[in-house]
Amino acid sequence: MEGDVAPIHAICDLADKYNALTYIDEVHAVGMYGDHGGGISERDEAAHRIDIIEGTLGKAFGVMGGYIAADQRIIDCIRSYAPGFIFTTSLSPVLVAGVLAAVRHLKESCAEREAQQANAALLKAKFREVGLPVMDSVTHIVPLMVGDPVRAKKISDILLAEYGAYVQPINFPTVPRGTERLRFTPGPAHTEEMMEELTNALVEIWDRLELELRKAA
């Protein structure tokens, strides 16, 4: 919820030492990191060290569903014994076709990844310039600290109702009490004008709800 990245190689070193399985959740990273969109594990050259890689066919790939990548024995075990998989309906052919098109495109194109990273950096900078309490993040996730569940929900409601912008409020138990926040994820197609409008809207709402802005250093 802060856009953190795990120390993958250090965790894999521990797993090697103690003969443990490794499992990584790349749901927020597949399609968006790595030269071929394989995620943070591809970017950090760690994918070959991980036993199970989980990803989604939503988010960057724009469809629905999910997957894991693992060796044949693990896959066969899950196919045979995991009730959540056994009683799940397969994806329809039209969804599979959409996923395949998205995966094939993002394996070859870095333009979307580069644009998203640039837009995330730009949005963070715009928030900081006006004193909005943007949290440190090394990824495309842009968390904005509120610190109160009622106000976080209120800001989200105002943004949607009055400004036509949707942002998810993140409250307890997803984050500890007192660290409630809004979590923005700019995409490669967002323009600087859109981000400027969002920033101005947040400043107005912050003032309306009598929240403090950070003074420029």
Side-chain angles (χ1 to χ4, degrees), residues 25 78 82 98 184:
D25 179 356
I78 291 171
F184 297 84

Side-chain angles (χ1 to χ4, degrees), residues 112-164:
E112 293 83 2
R113 287 188 279 279
E114 292 170 357
Q116 181 173 44
Q117 290 298 320
N119 279 345
L122 180 60
L123 186 60
K124 292 172 189 176
K126 286 186 177 294
F127 283 179
R128 289 192 184 99
E129 285 172 8
V130 297
L132 288 166
V134 60
M135 303 168 68
D136 290 334
S137 164
V138 297
T139 66
H140 61 283
I141 302 295
V142 184
L144 196 60
M145 177 58 70
V146 179
D148 178 87
V150 175
R151 284 174 167 171
K153 179 66 164 59
K154 183 67 173 177
I155 295 167
S156 174
D157 290 345
I158 294 172
L159 276 174
L160 183 60
E162 299 182 22
Y163 292 96

Side-chain angles (χ1 to χ4, degrees), residues 13-33:
D13 289 343
L14 280 174
D16 291 344
K17 181 178 179 179
Y18 294 104
N19 193 31
L21 281 169
T22 50
Y23 187 116
I24 189 169
D25 179 356
E26 293 269 38
V27 165
H28 287 277
V30 290
M32 291 178 271
Y33 294 87

Side-chain angles (χ1 to χ4, degrees), residues 56-70:
T56 181
L57 304 176
K59 301 189 188 299
F61 296 134
V63 190
M64 65 174 292
Y67 65 89
I68 64 165

Side-chain angles (χ1 to χ4, degrees), residues 56-130:
T56 181
L57 304 176
K59 301 189 188 299
F61 296 134
V63 190
M64 65 174 292
Y67 65 89
I68 64 165
D71 71 25
Q72 192 64 53
R73 289 173 298 174
I74 292 174
I75 296 299
D76 285 345
C77 179
I78 291 171
R79 281 178 171 155
S80 300
Y81 293 104
F85 174 81
I86 294 169
F87 296 105
T88 297
T89 303
S90 298
L91 292 178
S92 67
V94 67
L95 292 178
V96 174
V99 167
L100 285 173
V103 170
R104 286 166 178 158
H105 174 74
L106 289 173
K107 283 180 71 175
E108 302 297 328
S109 172
C110 288
E112 293 83 2
R113 287 188 279 279
E114 292 170 357
Q116 181 173 44
Q117 290 298 320
N119 279 345
L122 180 60
L123 186 60
K124 292 172 189 176
K126 286 186 177 294
F127 283 179
R128 289 192 184 99
E129 285 172 8
V130 297

